[in-house]
């Protein structure tokens, strides 16, 4: 269960507005941020995600796809759905990151080159942001690299700031790890225990462990930040669940991080439902979109055996798979693939056909998944419970979905999307069993 410990510390303020090595200041209450009398409107709480384009470890890490979603998209979704922020911002110096941020519904602050250097600190970028936004009273600095953040965490922290009067709140996680001093040649030749007595090693259940910052978020009021601190004044921590403490700066093994996110991540306000029907666009999803014409004018298409296996696995799991195309393609050619799927071709209105199939099976939209890749798929992608596109889908389709495959159309995208469905269905089953 989440817990909070209250605490405060004192120090001399830093007049240069930069971080100091002393203890942070104990601040007096003032009228800014809703602490004084006669304040008519609540303090403006802004979420701020810092996402520069110059990541050294993983190029453009902040928008690299994690479980089919740009990394920054996970925290933006949580921040927006929490409903506690008057504004949600991304501070960036990169065009692609700006586009992704706007796609998810965030506002963008274009940071200057002065605070986009390798040597620039988070505080530098936050101070610059505040210099341009006088309306902001409290900043919730959320790390883009914490994809398992949930709205409930942000709601509780906002309450601590607004209702309980804390000047700063930061996230921690509890660890049960024994620490030892470092051996340094010529300085310290033996190691010493730092937080245990080796003669009386406690069992895990007999030890509360220790609290560590997990870097997920740092909330602070403007007057504290302007003194050069993100932690200070009346200060508290917020303890996050261990399974939600995923930091991509640490978990650099991307596939492992993806499994954690698929199991513990936040997928939106509405609960996931079990998928009963997958509709797949033929051209550009089942196939790579290339059409070859033989000498006798017959169409020849190519597909990946992995995708055929994906369809087979879906059907064995009780998920109906149907194919659709807005092109006048040959049903005989598709049938020759022996996929045993119902299909409709030459469809001018894909949404109407999918809706008819849905009603025929007695399903709600949340029980339908759709894999598309073109403008003609946009409405279906927006309507269904689970949507996906191949890596080479058009930009319009990519903006409408919740999952972007690593594979291209006709090159394993359908199989990959099937695996994604299976992982989410496992999540649905586990939630029902709780």
């Amino acid at each position: 269960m989440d817990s909070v410990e209250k605490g405060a510390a004192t120090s001399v303020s830093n007049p240069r507005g930069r971080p100091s090595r002393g203890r942070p200041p104990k601040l007096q209450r003032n009228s800014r941020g809703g602490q004084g009398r006669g304040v008519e409107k609540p303090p403006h709480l802004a979420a701020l995600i810092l996402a520069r384009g110059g990541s050294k470890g993983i190029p453009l890490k902040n928008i690299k796809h994690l479980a089919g979603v740009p990394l920054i998209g996970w925290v933006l979704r949580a921040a927006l759905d929490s409903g506690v922020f008057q504004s949600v911002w991304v501070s960036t110096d990169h065009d692609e990151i700006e586009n992704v941020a706007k796609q998810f519904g965030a506002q963008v602050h274009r940071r200057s080159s002065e605070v986009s250097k390798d040597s620039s600190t988070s505080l530098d970028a936050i101070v610059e942001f505040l210099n341009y936004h006088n309306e902001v009273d409290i900043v919730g600095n959320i790390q883009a690299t914490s994809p398992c953040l949930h709205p409930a965490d942000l709601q509780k922290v906002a309450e601590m700031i607004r209702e309980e009067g804390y000047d700063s709140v930061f996230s921690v996680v509890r660890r049960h790890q024994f620490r030892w001093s470092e051996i340094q040649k010529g300085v310290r030749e033996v190691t010493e225990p730092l937080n245990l007595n080796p003669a009386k090693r406690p069992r895990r259940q007999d030890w509360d462990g220790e609290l560590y910052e997990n870097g997920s978020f740092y909330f602070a009021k403007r007057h504290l930040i302007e003194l050069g601190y993100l932690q200070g004044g009346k200060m508290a921590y917020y303890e996050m669940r261990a399974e939600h403490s995923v930091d991509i700066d640490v978990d650099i093994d991307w596939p492992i991080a993806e499994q954690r996110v698929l199991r513990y991540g936040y997928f939106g306000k509405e609960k996931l439902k079990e998928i009963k029907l997958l509709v797949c666009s033929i051209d550009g999803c089942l196939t790579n979109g290339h059409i070859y014409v033989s000498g006798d004018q017959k169409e020849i298409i190519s597909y990946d055996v992995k995708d055929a296996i994906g369809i087979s696995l879906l059907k064995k799991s009780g998920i109906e798979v149907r194919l659709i195309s807005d092109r006048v393609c040959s049903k005989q050619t598709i049938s020759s693939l022996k996929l045993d799927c119902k299909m409709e071709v030459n469809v001018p209105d894909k949404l109407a056909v999918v809706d008819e199939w849905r009603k025929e099976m007695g399903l709600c939209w949340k029980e339908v998944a759709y894999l598309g890749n073109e403008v003609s798929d946009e409405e279906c992608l927006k309507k269904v419970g689970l949507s996906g596109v191949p890596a080479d889908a058009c930009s319009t389709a990519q903006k409408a979905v919740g999952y972007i495959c690593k594979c291209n159309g006709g090159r394993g995208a359908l199989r990959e999307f099937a695996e994604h469905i299976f992982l989410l269905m496992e999540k649905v089953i586990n939630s029902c069993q709780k």
Side-chain angles (χ1 to χ4, degrees):
M1 184 170 180
D2 297 321
S3 60
V4 174
E5 179 178 289
K6 303 177 182 179
T10 60
S11 175
V12 178
S13 65
N14 185 342
R16 298 180 62 188
R18 309 284 286 186
S20 77
R21 294 182 180 275
R23 289 169 63 82
K26 181 176 182 180
L27 302 171
Q28 299 297 320
R29 303 281 74 77
N30 59 30
S31 60
R32 188 172 181 83
Q35 295 292 337
R37 295 181 179 179
V39 177
E40 296 180 358
K41 59 182 181 179
H44 185 118
L45 173 57
L48 180 63
I49 295 93
L50 306 178
R52 70 186 185 96
S55 174
K56 295 297 182 183
I58 306 173
L60 288 179
K61 173 182 63 181
N62 293 311
I63 55 174
K64 179 180 169 67
H65 284 114
L66 180 75
V69 176
L71 178 59
I72 197 173
W74 290 99
V75 294
L76 284 174
R77 180 189 290 162
L80 289 162
D81 284 358
S82 71
V84 298
F85 299 104
Q86 278 88 341
S87 58
V88 176
W89 294 84
V90 171
S91 170
T92 187
D93 60 338
H94 199 279
D95 291 343
E96 288 185 53
I97 296 176
E98 176 177 354
N99 292 336
V100 171
K102 289 179 176 177
Q103 178 184 327
F104 275 85
Q107 300 180 71
V108 173
H109 169 77
R110 288 297 296 220
R111 67 164 75 177
S112 67
S113 58
E114 285 76 15
V115 297
S116 301
K117 303 172 184 176
D118 290 342
S119 58
S120 299
T121 67
S122 295
L123 185 60
D124 293 333
I126 295 170
V127 168
E128 181 194 72
F129 169 79
L130 285 177
N131 288 339
Y132 282 89
H133 296 281
N134 292 326
E135 76 281 5
V136 175
D137 301 301
I138 310 165
V139 173
N141 175 214
I142 302 172
Q143 303 296 317
T145 52
S146 299
C148 283
L149 181 65
H150 283 241
D153 297 319
L154 300 173
Q155 290 164 355
K156 291 172 185 175
V157 174
E159 182 179 348
M160 294 171 68
I161 291 278
R162 285 173 167 157
E163 306 298 329
E164 299 178 40
Y166 287 102
D167 294 305
S168 61
V169 180
F170 55 93
S171 58
V172 300
V173 64
R174 190 174 299 274
R175 303 287 190 201
H176 291 78
Q177 297 172 334
F178 295 130
R179 294 182 291 108
W180 293 78
S181 64
E182 185 176 351
I183 293 177
Q184 296 176 309
K185 193 171 183 179
V187 178
R188 185 185 296 115
E189 300 295 336
V190 296
T191 187
E192 296 288 342
L194 297 177
N195 65 346
L196 81 153
N197 179 354
K200 297 181 180 180
R201 289 177 64 92
R203 299 180 304 167
R204 180 184 176 91
Q205 59 266 38
D206 297 329
W207 183 43
D208 290 337
E210 295 180 329
L211 298 175
Y212 293 80
E213 289 186 26
N214 68 356
S216 189
F217 54 76
Y218 299 84
F219 280 58
K221 292 181 177 177
R222 172 185 278 269
H223 54 263
L224 181 65
I225 296 170
E226 288 175 342
L227 289 172
Y229 298 95
L230 283 176
Q231 295 162 301
K234 184 181 178 183
M235 184 168 44
Y237 63 74
Y238 176 83
E239 185 177 346
M240 289 179 61
R241 294 167 57 181
E243 59 266 33
H244 291 171
S245 295
V246 177
D247 189 345
I248 301 300
D249 280 336
V250 177
D251 297 338
I252 58 175
D253 189 338
W254 211 265
I256 293 176
E258 285 187 325
Q259 296 301 314
R260 291 279 301 276
V261 169
L262 286 169
R263 183 161 186 178
Y264 301 116
Y266 171 70
F267 287 83
K269 290 181 179 180
E270 297 191 32
K271 291 185 178 180
L272 293 170
K273 296 204 71 169
E274 189 173 355
I275 296 298
K276 302 291 181 62
L277 169 65
L278 168 64
V279 179
C280 176
S281 179
I282 295 173
D283 301 306
C285 291
L286 176 63
T287 75
N288 61 9
H290 296 172
I291 301 171
Y292 307 92
V293 182
S294 65
D296 55 359
Q297 300 302 303
K298 290 184 177 179
E299 283 188 4
I300 302 172
I301 59 173
S302 67
Y303 75 105
D304 197 310
V305 173
K306 290 184 291 187
D307 291 328
I309 294 173
I311 290 175
S312 176
L313 292 173
L314 286 164
K315 292 167 71 174
K316 286 179 180 178
S317 298
I319 299 174
E320 177 85 5
V321 180
R322 297 189 180 184
L323 307 175
I324 196 167
S325 176
D326 52 5
R327 190 175 62 84
V328 185
C329 54
S330 170
K331 280 191 174 184
Q332 183 177 0
T333 302
I334 304 300
S335 297
S336 67
L337 303 180
K338 298 181 179 179
L339 299 174
D340 192 26
C341 296
K342 183 174 181 178
M343 73 183 81
E344 288 290 340
V345 300
N346 193 23
V347 176
D349 186 350
K350 291 182 176 179
L351 184 61
V353 171
V354 176
D355 191 30
E356 184 180 328
W357 285 343
R358 175 187 70 82
K359 292 175 180 175
E360 169 195 315
M361 295 179 64
L363 307 177
C364 67
W365 280 108
K366 290 295 178 184
E367 296 172 300
V368 181
Y370 192 97
L371 183 66
N373 73 310
E374 267 300 343
V375 175
S376 60
D377 299 307
E378 181 183 9
E379 294 305 315
C380 292
L381 292 168
K382 290 180 176 179
K383 192 75 173 177
V384 297
L386 187 60
S387 58
V389 295
D392 55 351
C394 74
S395 60
T396 299
Q398 289 195 15
K399 290 177 181 178
V401 300
Y403 185 87
I404 300 177
C405 298
K406 299 184 186 73
C407 299
N408 289 339
R411 294 292 182 267
L414 201 160
R415 172 63 184 272
E416 181 185 340
F417 191 50
E419 295 291 346
H420 180 64
I421 291 173
F422 295 144
L423 284 169
L424 293 186
M425 291 310 95
E426 182 181 342
K427 187 180 180 76
V428 170
I429 293 169
N430 290 338
S431 65
C432 291
Q433 292 175 345
K434 289 181 180 179

